[in-house]
């Protein structure tokens, strides 16, 4: 129920320049020198332990991949503009090797379009809805006098009284033609039925499309229908639909016409006319902005006429929280609804709505939208307007969500996050213990010696005393990057260096070094994105007299 539950973790997230420890303006000669040194360092044949050999091979392949991209001027230009995503587009090898960024961008967009067209031939777009109606009126109505003497009244009787399942699949036939297959099954109090529909949609131009629908079912009978969409102007469009139902009672024709117009950048006006079993004339006004959504609708028709107004406020937070309320009144009575909606994961949105109506009673509606699938759970609590039912319908879901989120979701997501970060760091750092002999050999030679190095979030003694420092020891990885008694780090994040990982994702980090150069102690603290070059005279620790 949180966004982090479904987010994929990408292990190979290093920047190619950081992986080779070169600046973005590095020459081909600088790339070659760094590549040869890292290949010698990570060559799998230097390790006998199977696990260390596997980790070394992984790093060796990453370094080789980075060098292959950056050493080729064409691939490097693509990488600099679009990153790794641009390199994944198929077709670069058969196009002319462009020189300018504008030409490369043009080729990239063309290849992307071709790739989408290929995927279009194979893609289906499944959509589905599952609705389960629950009758829980016994929770409240059973305490009336008529139910006091009922046997076995110790437990309320809750049952599922209706269910609906629908599914549709889209299959592109050509770039302009699409076939849609859909079906549904419904049951209510022991009686049920179903239908299946086939629709062919054709895009006739950039301004419009049309579709033909064929259907069959065990209740209403066969159906044939036509639908047309057309952009009349840049601010106005029209939709027309007609159908013919072959029911046991004879032919049942129907027709509808809807026109809409952009009144301003955020406001749409709609006017709809329907003729058939449920004839009506409906007009509505919809205003959708970044922070709110407002709808006002009026319908005059048979059998129902109504006036409806709804408002939704959108919070500008990471979870895309929304609160909403609506009132609807007509010949059927009056219904007031209020609720909230929140994004609980990367592809899932959870919402709860309380519906209070006369004479409908009190109903709690829970909705879970996950990608293209929707799950609905309307729970009917009472046929009367009972304050207790309204209170429990409002407070119950809120308390349950808060408890589950705090006690289960947050600890679980934090544990998953720490596990992934530690796994990344362990897998990258694993090969370095085998380099200890090399490190010790360097320690006994004159020049630059890394004595201690820590990377992460440091906590001072004078502030944030309650907060725990989050640092890792990177002494060995940094010593391996020393060349000719010099250590040069670019302005990129140091978490991308071999042997490094991010111990505190999203927080400010720094690198603390204690090193020896020609027998003199030096110390420096460098910010994460700050370039570093050692040794330096300013890092020297003055000896106490």
């Amino acid at each position: 129920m949180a966004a982090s539950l479904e987010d994929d973790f990408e292990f190979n997230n290093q920047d190619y320049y950081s992986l080779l420890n070169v600046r973005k303006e590095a020459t081909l000669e600088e790339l070659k020198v760094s590549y040869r040194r890292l290949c010698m360092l990570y060559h799998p044949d230097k390790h006998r332990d199977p696990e260390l050999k596997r980790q070394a091979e992984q790093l060796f392949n990453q370094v080789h991949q980075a060098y292959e991209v950056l050493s080729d001027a064409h691939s490097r230009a693509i990488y600099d503009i679009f990153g790794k995503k641009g390199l994944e587009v198929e077709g670069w090898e058969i196009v002319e090797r462009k020189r300018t960024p504008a030409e490369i961008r043009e080729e990239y967009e063309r290849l992307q379009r071709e790739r989408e067209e290929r995927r279009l031939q194979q893609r289906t777009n499944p959509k589905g809805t599952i609705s389960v109606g629950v009758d829980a009126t016994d929770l409240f109505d059973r305490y009336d006098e008529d139910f006091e003497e009922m046997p076995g009244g110790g437990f309320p009787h809750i049952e599922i009284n209706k269910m609906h399942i629908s599914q549709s699949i889209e299959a592109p036939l050509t770039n302009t033609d699409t076939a849609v297959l859909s079906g549904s099954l419904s049951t209510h109090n022991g009686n049920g039925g179903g239908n299946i529909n086939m629709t062919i949609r054709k895009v006739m131009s950039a301004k419009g499309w049309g579709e033909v629908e064929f259907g069959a079912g065990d209740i209403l009978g066969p159906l044939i229908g036509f639908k047309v969409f057309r952009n009349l102007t840049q601010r106005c469009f029209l939709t027309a639909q007609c159908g013919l139902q072959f029911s046991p009672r004879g032919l049942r024709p129907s027709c509808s016409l809807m026109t809409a117009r952009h009144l301003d950048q955020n406001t749409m006006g709609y006017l709809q006319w329907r003729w058939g079993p449920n004839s009506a004339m409906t007009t509505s006004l919809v205003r959708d902005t970044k922070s709110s959504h407002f709808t006002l609708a009026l319908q005059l028709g048979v059998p129902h006429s109504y006036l409806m107004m709804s408002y939704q406020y959108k919070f500008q937070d990471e979870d895309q929280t929304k609160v909403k309320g609506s009132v609807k009144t007509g010949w059927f009575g009056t219904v007031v609804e209020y609720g909230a909606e929140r994004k609980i994961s990367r592809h899932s949105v959870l919402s709860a709505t309380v519906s209070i109506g006369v004479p409908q009673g009190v109903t709690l509606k829970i909705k879970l939208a996950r990608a293209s699938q929707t799950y609905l759970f309307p729970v009917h609590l009472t046929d009367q307007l009972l304050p207790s039912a309204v209170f429990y319908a409002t407070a119950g879901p809120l308390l349950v969500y808060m408890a589950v989120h705090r006690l289960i979701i947050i600890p679980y997501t934090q544990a998953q996050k720490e596990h992934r970060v530690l796994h990344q760091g362990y897998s990258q750092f694993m090969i370095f213990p085998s380099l200890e002999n090399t490190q010790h050999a360097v320690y006994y030679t004159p020049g630059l010696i890394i004595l201690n190095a820590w990377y992460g979030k440091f906590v001072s003694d004078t502030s944030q005393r309650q907060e725990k420092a989050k640092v890792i020891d990177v002494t060995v990885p940094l010593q391996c990057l020393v060349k000719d008694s010099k250590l040069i780090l670019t302005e990129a994040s140091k978490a991308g260096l071999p042997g490094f990982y991010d111990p505190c994702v999203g927080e400010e980090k720094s690198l603390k070094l204690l090193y020896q150069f020609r027998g003199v102690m030096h110390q420096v603290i460098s910010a994460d994105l700050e370039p570093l070059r050692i040794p330096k005279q300013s890092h020297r620790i003055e000896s106490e007299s």
Side-chain angles (χ1 to χ4, degrees):
M1 201 176 280
S4 298
L5 284 173
E6 298 174 76
D7 290 347
D8 294 335
F9 180 79
E10 184 179 357
F11 170 76
N12 185 19
N13 62 350
Q14 299 101 332
D15 175 72
Y16 284 162
Y17 292 99
S18 297
L19 190 62
L20 295 178
N21 192 28
V22 295
R23 54 192 177 89
K24 288 191 175 181
E25 300 79 13
T27 63
L28 182 60
E29 187 61 28
E30 291 175 336
L31 290 172
K32 288 181 180 179
V33 172
S34 178
Y35 171 68
R36 290 169 182 170
R37 179 169 55 86
L38 292 175
C39 284
M40 293 179 62
L41 191 64
Y42 302 138
H43 201 284
D45 294 342
K46 292 188 175 182
H47 306 277
R48 296 182 179 180
D49 184 271
E51 185 63 20
L52 297 181
K53 189 179 183 70
R54 184 184 67 83
Q55 297 297 335
E57 184 177 2
Q58 189 174 17
L59 278 175
F60 183 84
N61 292 335
Q62 291 176 10
V63 170
H64 179 70
Q65 181 183 9
Y67 177 73
E68 275 193 338
V69 171
L70 299 184
S71 60
D72 181 79
H74 185 61
S75 299
R76 185 174 180 176
I78 298 170
Y79 176 76
D80 289 341
I81 298 175
F82 303 106
K84 297 180 184 178
K85 184 178 179 180
L87 298 171
E88 295 172 356
V89 177
E90 300 175 1
W92 285 118
E93 64 279 1
I94 61 174
V95 302
E96 181 184 354
R97 301 180 70 84
K98 302 294 180 179
R99 295 295 181 183
T100 67
E103 291 172 330
I104 291 176
R105 183 179 296 275
E106 182 181 349
E107 289 292 346
Y108 173 81
E109 292 173 352
R110 183 183 66 81
L111 291 172
Q112 278 286 71
R113 289 193 298 269
E114 293 178 356
R115 183 185 183 187
E116 289 300 322
E117 290 176 0
R118 288 194 298 268
R119 293 179 60 186
L120 192 65
Q121 304 301 325
Q122 305 172 353
R123 186 189 64 206
T124 60
N125 184 24
K127 298 180 182 178
T129 300
I130 298 178
S131 178
V132 179
V134 180
D135 183 1
T137 55
D138 205 28
L139 287 171
F140 299 94
D141 294 342
R142 70 189 300 268
Y143 295 108
D144 293 343
E145 294 181 358
D146 296 339
F147 294 89
E148 287 182 355
E149 303 299 329
M150 288 185 62
F155 297 97
H157 181 63
I158 300 175
E159 64 177 2
I160 296 176
N161 61 351
K162 58 183 177 180
M163 182 178 293
H164 174 79
I165 301 175
S166 63
Q167 186 75 26
S168 67
I169 299 177
E170 293 184 6
L173 305 177
T174 65
N175 289 337
T176 58
D177 299 334
T178 303
V180 181
L181 180 65
S182 62
S184 65
L185 293 173
S186 300
T187 177
H188 188 195
N189 292 330
N191 298 319
N195 62 73
I196 185 170
N197 295 73
M198 179 69 178
T199 303
I200 304 296
R201 182 185 301 126
K202 182 177 183 63
V203 178
M204 294 172 287
S205 67
K207 293 185 177 182
W209 51 264
E211 66 180 28
V212 180
E213 179 182 7
F214 304 93
D218 60 350
I219 298 178
L220 299 178
L223 166 72
I224 181 172
F226 303 91
K227 186 176 182 180
V228 177
F229 171 86
R230 177 75 177 180
N231 281 313
L232 302 179
T233 65
Q234 292 184 349
R235 302 172 62 89
C236 183
F237 64 86
L238 175 73
T239 300
Q241 184 175 2
C242 61
L244 192 61
Q245 187 86 51
F246 300 88
S247 68
R249 298 180 181 179
L251 295 178
R252 302 177 64 181
S254 63
C255 184
S256 69
L257 187 67
M258 191 268 288
T259 180
R261 179 177 176 83
H262 288 272
L263 303 180
D264 60 37
Q265 184 178 2
N266 300 311
T267 307
M268 288 285 296
Y270 297 89
L271 182 62
Q272 184 179 26
W273 170 76
R274 292 198 310 271
W275 174 77
N278 297 307
S279 299
M281 176 72 77
T282 306
T283 180
S284 59
L285 184 70
V286 179
R287 181 171 178 80
D288 190 7
T289 65
K290 185 178 181 180
S291 60
S292 65
H293 182 92
F294 174 78
T295 302
L296 178 64
L298 173 64
Q299 175 175 301
L300 301 175
V302 179
H304 295 306
S305 297
Y306 66 83
L307 174 66
M308 188 271 291
M309 182 174 64
S310 68
Y311 179 80
Q312 182 182 81
Y313 181 78
K314 308 173 185 177
F315 292 90
Q316 305 303 313
D317 58 355
E318 183 180 355
D319 296 325
Q320 302 178 11
T321 306
K322 303 174 184 177
V323 293
K324 52 189 176 181
S326 68
V327 58
K328 185 176 182 180
T329 182
W331 305 131
F332 54 83
T334 301
V335 178
V336 176
E337 293 187 349
Y338 59 90
E341 177 182 300
R342 192 173 193 182
K343 185 177 180 181
I344 58 175
S345 70
R346 185 178 181 183
H347 302 291
S348 301
V349 177
L350 179 66
S351 65
T353 304
V354 179
S355 177
I356 307 170
V358 178
Q360 291 84 357
V362 181
T363 301
L364 171 64
K365 302 175 182 177
I366 299 175
K367 176 182 177 182
L368 175 63
R370 177 176 172 82
S372 59
Q373 303 296 315
T374 303
Y375 305 90
L376 300 173
F377 301 93
V379 183
H380 189 51
L381 299 178
T382 176
D383 295 324
Q384 308 175 47
L385 293 183
L386 297 179
S388 57
V390 176
F391 172 78
Y392 285 112
T394 304
L398 183 61
L399 294 176
V400 170
Y401 173 77
M402 293 176 62
V404 172
H405 188 263
R406 182 174 295 273
L407 299 178
I408 299 177
I409 301 301
I410 292 180
Y412 178 79
T413 54
Q414 288 180 346
Q416 287 290 100
K417 191 175 183 180
E418 292 176 0
H419 172 75
R420 288 170 175 175
V421 171
L422 290 176
H423 175 74
Q424 178 197 16
Y426 176 74
S427 59
Q428 290 193 26
F429 201 82
M430 199 171 181
I431 88 162
F432 284 99
S434 64
L435 303 174
E436 289 183 357
N437 294 334
T438 304
Q439 180 199 24
H440 290 312
V442 175
Y443 281 175
Y444 292 104
T445 60
L448 177 62
I449 302 174
I450 306 297
L451 299 177
N452 286 297
W454 299 273
Y455 174 68
K457 180 180 180 181
F458 297 90
V459 179
S460 63
D461 295 334
T462 57
S463 63
Q464 301 176 335
R465 295 174 181 267
Q466 303 298 326
E467 189 174 357
K468 183 180 179 182
K470 302 175 183 178
V471 297
I472 57 173
D473 188 344
V474 292
T475 306
V476 177
L478 279 184
Q479 183 65 64
C480 292
L481 296 177
V482 174
K483 180 187 177 184
D484 297 331
S485 293
K486 294 179 182 179
L487 176 63
I488 302 175
L489 302 179
T490 64
E491 66 275 8
S493 175
K494 297 170 179 60
L497 293 172
F500 281 61
Y501 68 94
D502 197 337
C504 44
V505 179
E507 300 184 38
E508 186 175 352
K509 296 169 285 293
S510 57
L511 175 65
K512 186 175 182 180
L513 277 172
L514 178 65
Y515 64 92
Q516 179 179 327
F517 181 66
R518 295 179 179 176
V520 179
M521 302 296 293
H522 296 68
Q523 185 174 347
V524 63
I525 298 180
S526 173
D528 186 32
L529 300 178
E530 179 184 356
L532 178 65
R533 184 186 182 96
I534 62 174
K536 275 189 177 182
Q537 184 69 21
S538 58
H539 300 163
R540 183 171 179 174
I541 302 177
E542 299 295 337
S543 58
E544 299 182 359
S545 55

